[in-house]
Amino acid sequence: MIETWQADAIVLFGATGDLSHRMLIPSLYHLDADGFLPPNFKVLATARAQLTHDEFVAQVRDLLAARPEGLDETVWKRFEARLDFTSADATTEAGAEQLKPMLEGLKAPVFYLALSPSLYGRVCVALAAAGLAHDHTRIVLEKPVGRDLETSREINVAVGAVFDEERIFRIDHYLGKETVQNLIALRFANTLFEPLWNNLTIDHVQITVAETEGVGDRWPYYDEYGALRDMLQNHMLQLLCLVAMEPPSDMEPDSVRNEKVKVLRSLRRFSRVDAQTWSIRGQYTPGVVGGKQVKGYQEERGQESGTETFVALRADIDNWRWAGVPFFLRTGKRLPERRTQIAIQFKPVPHSIFDGQAKDDLVANRLIIDLQPDEDIELTLMNKAPGLTAGGMRLQALPLSLSLLRAYEGPGARRRIAYERLLLDAIKGNSTLFVRRDEVEEAWRWVDGVAAAWREAGLTPKPYAAGSWGPAGAFALIERAGRAWYD
Ligand code: BG6
């Protein structure tokens, strides 16, 4: 039985870093604004940076005021009273000791490590040595948990020596996105799709995560990881799991996570031949994105690099439901538009009763789930266009659209930062939307297989101009399977 006590504080490690500034602090502020933080809840922060309490509070105020939503003075007053900061090196016992005065009186803090994963183990050991990791503490870990199966295990073992698995919350922020959770609702709160959700009716699935941003000054991290490890191992495989998993018996953390693990275990291992036929790596060169000239990856990096900033591949799930249904995944930086999308392509009708023009117009149904930038779910259905042309039967594909923003617009319809939901769940102790150790490790096992097949096949990144949809091989890959990317 998982205990779900409510935390009385969150302690942000790495509180002056980019993630804390862009995502975590604004998310906590919004949770406060919307009345989700209990009255005495504390937002405590630590970092190695030498800042005083007042300097940190001023920094937080400035970053919140600079956001498009602006700062509400009433909320700020309440939020400010929750804040405290201690400068410390939390990788050492002495540093963890320095946090004690700030944590005094707290019964159940959540520790959030917005730090490099290489520090997770040391911070946990230091927290334990200082007596701060007791039974009512939880720990939240940012991705990536490791760089491969081996390093991920090392981290999991080091953290697991201090915290039980049920107190470890591994974040994949894609699971905090409304539309991602809506995928669960779409599949399991409707009778409509589930009977069709299999290889009898579905032809193939496409998952695209396209970004216009480049790597920029994140290259010291990125160059070690590349698109496969930075995006595909986590966010994209999580999306794939939610599309492909069997209905869980309920929304309990282990019910959902058990089903996701089964999908990961059913992923077909990549061979050298698969690497050559069904995958492509790319790296952006200078080009134009959004009307602006941008640098290539190697110019940003300052030297040659064999890291991919684009990957497209075909994944096959070897089980009864999905046998024969390819899942095409592609992700890349410096692509022409920002788009996160899942396209479920249904099979064509088994026999057409139409002839002439109408027959040519027949298009198989497609369910498009747009996650970003707009949240939309669209089902294309064939329809008779009004009129008498083409013998009175002219067919046309029309979208049945469920624009989530329009459906829920009005006061309070602000699009939430994905971290808001996840932080709230971590505070409450609900781990359904967090990634369990075996999930992370299964995902690494498969990704390690892809990386090994790439090495065996000597597959190096093909250049693509920034602002294009990746190397030509990405098109060839899907065309080889008789399909095309949905653009
Ligand atoms: C992060 C990756 O996990 O996700 C980044 O490290 C990527 O490289 C980001 O840009 C994308 O997140 P989102 O929410 O903007 O799609």
Side-chain angles (χ1 to χ4, degrees):
M1 178 65 192
I2 293 173
E3 291 176 79
T4 52
W5 69 86
Q6 164 114 2
D8 52 6
I10 187 157
V11 189
L12 297 181
F13 291 76
T16 52
D18 183 58
L19 182 74
S20 296
H21 278 197
R22 280 189 312 114
M23 301 289 171
L24 305 179
I25 292 170
S27 296
L28 288 162
Y29 170 83
H30 286 308
L31 288 176
D32 200 3
D34 294 343
F36 286 112
L37 297 186
N40 296 320
F41 188 86
K42 297 272 174 235
V43 177
L44 308 177
T46 179
R48 271 188 303 199
Q50 295 295 324
L51 286 181
T52 63
H53 168 96
D54 290 351
E55 282 166 346
F56 177 73
V57 171
Q59 208 178 62
V60 170
R61 187 186 160 92
D62 288 350
L63 75 92
L64 291 173
R67 290 181 63 85
E69 321 77 271
L71 193 73
D72 177 314
E73 289 300 337
T74 317
V75 180
W76 168 247
K77 246 179 132 181
R78 194 164 66 222
F79 191 66
E80 184 187 9
R82 301 180 189 277
L83 293 175
D84 203 353
F85 178 83
T86 300
S87 166
D89 175 1
T91 57
T92 63
E93 185 182 341
E97 287 284 344
Q98 286 175 319
L99 301 177
K100 277 186 161 168
M102 182 167 81
L103 298 179
E104 209 180 311
L106 293 176
K107 291 198 169 52
V110 175
F111 298 125
Y112 194 121
L113 305 194
L115 302 170
S116 158
S118 59
L119 305 178
Y120 291 168
R122 276 155 61 197
V123 171
C124 288
V125 169
L127 289 173
L132 292 173
H134 51 76
D135 283 354
H136 279 72
T137 49
R138 293 188 190 108
I139 190 138
V140 184
L141 306 179
E142 258 301 323
K143 72 152 259 275
V145 180
R147 191 187 171 272
D148 51 25
L149 179 59
E150 196 185 325
T151 47
S152 141
R153 275 193 181 140
E154 279 165 18
I155 294 174
N156 284 328
V157 166
V159 176
V162 177
F163 294 90
D164 302 335
E165 178 61 26
E166 66 187 43
R167 293 193 286 133
I168 304 173
F169 285 57
R170 295 178 194 80
I171 279 221
D172 183 312
H173 78 273
Y174 267 51
L175 295 178
K177 293 183 191 273
E178 282 289 353
T179 346
V180 175
Q181 293 156 46
N182 204 19
L183 191 57
I184 302 180
L186 183 79
R187 287 194 59 197
F188 305 125
N190 296 292
T191 48
L192 202 59
F193 294 112
E194 207 41 34
L196 306 177
W197 212 256
N198 56 47
N199 53 7
L200 298 179
T201 331
I202 293 179
D203 176 75
H204 74 277
V205 176
Q206 296 184 16
I207 303 179
T208 295
V209 182
E211 297 183 273
T212 50
E213 294 292 310
V215 175
D217 49 19
R218 280 179 80 219
W219 68 259
Y221 151 78
Y222 194 89
D223 208 52
E224 279 248 332
Y225 285 77
L228 177 70
R229 296 182 171 88
D230 180 52
M231 294 296 286
L232 202 130
Q233 186 271 344
N234 34 78
H235 305 323
M236 298 195 78
L237 286 187
Q238 284 294 327
L239 296 180
L240 176 140
C241 283
L242 294 179
V243 170
M245 71 181 181
E246 293 301 313
S249 52
D250 50 41
M251 280 294 282
E252 286 299 308
D254 281 340
S255 311
V256 174
R257 299 186 299 180
N258 287 344
E259 297 307 334
K260 287 197 284 167
V261 171
K262 285 187 210 160
V263 175
L264 294 169
R265 288 199 182 126
S266 309
L267 282 170
R268 189 181 303 161
R269 301 272 304 183
F270 245 61
S271 66
R272 181 181 56 79
V273 176
D274 290 331
Q276 281 157 341
T277 322
W278 297 122
S279 75
I280 175 100
R281 307 170 71 196
Q283 190 186 75
Y284 59 85
T285 55
V288 178
V289 181
K292 270 207 250 147
Q293 181 69 39
V294 296
K295 287 183 184 167
Y297 178 67
Q298 302 207 18
E299 283 177 277
E300 288 175 341
R301 167 83 179 83
Q303 66 184 68
E304 274 189 19
S305 164
T307 300
E308 79 284 349
T309 59
F310 176 98
V311 58
L313 55 78
R314 168 186 171 151
D316 284 89
I317 302 173
D318 286 333
N319 65 17
W320 272 48
R321 189 189 279 263
W322 296 113
V325 180
F327 281 64
F328 296 101
L329 313 184
R330 69 175 163 167
T331 183
K333 305 252 181 227
R334 288 286 190 228
L335 299 185
E337 58 180 85
R338 173 164 162 80
R339 187 202 306 167
T340 303
Q341 183 180 71
I342 300 170
I344 313 283
Q345 177 64 61
F346 290 93
K347 291 190 171 169
V349 292
H351 163 73
S352 171
I353 63 165
F354 306 101
D355 51 21
Q357 168 81 49
K359 185 173 183 198
D360 298 340
D361 288 340
L362 258 187
V363 180
N365 303 125
R366 184 182 279 146
L367 178 70
I368 303 288
I369 303 162
D370 278 316
L371 280 75
Q372 292 176 150
D374 299 319
E375 300 184 346
D376 199 0
I377 298 178
E378 198 177 275
L379 179 66
T380 51
L381 294 175
M382 289 313 294
N383 175 66
K384 179 195 172 303
L388 300 177
T389 52
M393 186 52 89
R394 172 128 215 197
L395 298 177
Q396 197 182 12
L398 281 184
L400 201 65
S401 169
L402 198 86
S403 166
L404 298 177
L405 217 57
R406 250 180 283 128
Y408 296 106
E409 73 193 1
R414 174 182 68 82
R415 184 193 284 199
R416 288 192 179 280
I417 306 171
Y419 281 89
E420 292 179 48
R421 165 75 198 260
L422 297 173
L423 283 167
L424 192 59
D425 282 357
I427 291 167
K428 289 188 173 160
N430 179 358
S431 55
T432 303
L433 297 178
F434 293 82
V435 187
R436 208 170 53 189
R437 174 174 175 172
D438 51 351
E439 262 181 271
V440 179
E441 294 186 358
E442 284 301 335
W444 275 124
R445 194 190 310 279
W446 188 74
V447 162
D448 279 1
V450 175
W454 282 355
R455 275 194 304 276
E456 250 185 86
L459 213 73
T460 50
K462 299 271 179 288
Y464 64 95
S468 70
W469 276 105
F475 295 92
L477 178 159
I478 194 164
E479 279 159 18
R480 206 167 287 134
R483 279 85 169 191
W485 292 111
Y486 173 72
D487 283 326

